[in-house]
Amino acid sequence: QVQVVESGGGLVQAGGSLRLSCAASGSIFRIDDMGWYRQAPGKQRELVARVSSGGSTSYAESVKGRFTISRDNAKNTVYLQMNSLKPEDTAVYYCGVLTFGIMEWGQGTQVTVSS
């Protein structure tokens, strides 16, 4: 069984920064993609950024140039550095870890950006 735990959310003013962390633990034999997703009230969960096991990254258009995803394979950890935050970035952010075709999710961490 795989456990996924996020941390680092909080309340920040527009223009500020936050760094999210996500650690995967448990019965891990291989991790493929690791990514960050978010879900705002009344909206569907959407991909924010993801990184492959080889380090290739992809981002949602709305966060390009502001967010940076990185990964530490030795620690089974993924990070999301969020700069120039906007009120529309407010959401619950979830970490998703893809292993053997199964996506394991964390419990989510709230990010609130005030205007």
Side-chain angles (χ1 to χ4, degrees):
Q1 193 168 358
V2 177
Q3 293 81 42
V4 179
V5 179
E6 304 104 333
S7 61
L11 173 64
V12 65
Q13 288 188 332
S17 298
L18 283 174
R19 186 185 193 223
L20 305 183
S21 299
C22 167
S25 61
S27 301
I28 299 174
F29 299 100
R30 185 185 83 194
I31 295 179
D32 298 316
D33 289 1
M34 301 182 81
W36 288 96
Y37 301 73
R38 67 187 181 188
Q39 187 167 18
K43 295 188 177 181
Q44 289 189 332
R45 189 174 298 188
E46 63 175 359
L47 173 69
V48 176
R50 66 179 169 215
V51 55
S52 71
S53 56
S56 297
T57 58
S58 61
Y59 296 90
E61 284 295 327
S62 60
V63 307
K64 281 184 179 179
R66 300 188 297 122
F67 291 10
T68 302
I69 190 169
S70 60
R71 174 173 175 166
D72 185 335
N73 289 330
K75 296 181 179 180
N76 292 328
T77 300
V78 62
Y79 307 95
L80 185 68
Q81 178 66 43
M82 305 185 292
N83 298 328
S84 302
L85 282 160
K86 304 176 181 180
E88 51 263 44
D89 294 317
T90 295
V92 178
Y93 283 69
Y94 296 91
C95 177
V97 175
L98 186 65
T99 175
F100 291 106
I102 297 173
M103 185 69 84
E104 303 284 354
W105 296 99
Q107 79 287 350
T109 185
Q110 177 70 47
V111 171
T112 302
V113 184
S114 63
S115 57

